[in-house]
Amino acid sequence: MRRFHKRKDICQAIEKRGCILQWLPPYSPDLNPLEKKWAQAKAIRRKKHCSVDELFQQQTLYDKIN
């Protein structure tokens, strides 16, 4: 089953109005810099054996001191 916005009749109606359809690529975490930062945070969390909340609380306190 196709999604409604990729149906042929819908695409034709959009193009008939003078619009050009451009499809986004599938989501790729490799292309998202935020995913890399989360991976770093998770690695630090595992190393320190703490929760995500504790990790960010530690960082917030560190930022306030410096």
Side-chain angles (χ1 to χ4, degrees):
M1 183 170 145
R2 296 179 125 185
R3 293 190 169 93
F4 75 93
H5 61 281
K6 288 191 176 185
R7 281 187 11 210
K8 193 172 189 174
D9 60 327
I10 299 294
C11 293
Q12 288 173 345
I14 293 169
E15 290 170 345
K16 185 177 176 181
R17 301 289 279 169
C19 297
I20 298 170
L21 293 170
Q22 291 185 324
W23 306 109
L24 295 174
Y27 176 75
S28 173
D30 295 335
L31 301 176
N32 186 344
L34 185 58
E35 295 290 347
K36 292 177 181 159
K37 288 298 176 187
W38 273 116
Q40 290 173 348
K42 289 176 187 178
I44 294 168
R45 182 183 64 84
R46 282 191 298 270
K47 185 177 178 182
K48 293 187 174 200
H49 303 289
C50 65
S51 70
V52 173
D53 291 335
E54 292 169 326
L55 177 66
F56 287 113
Q57 185 177 21
Q58 290 171 11
Q59 184 62 42
T60 303
L61 292 174
Y62 177 79
D63 289 344
K64 286 180 182 179
I65 293 170
N66 292 321

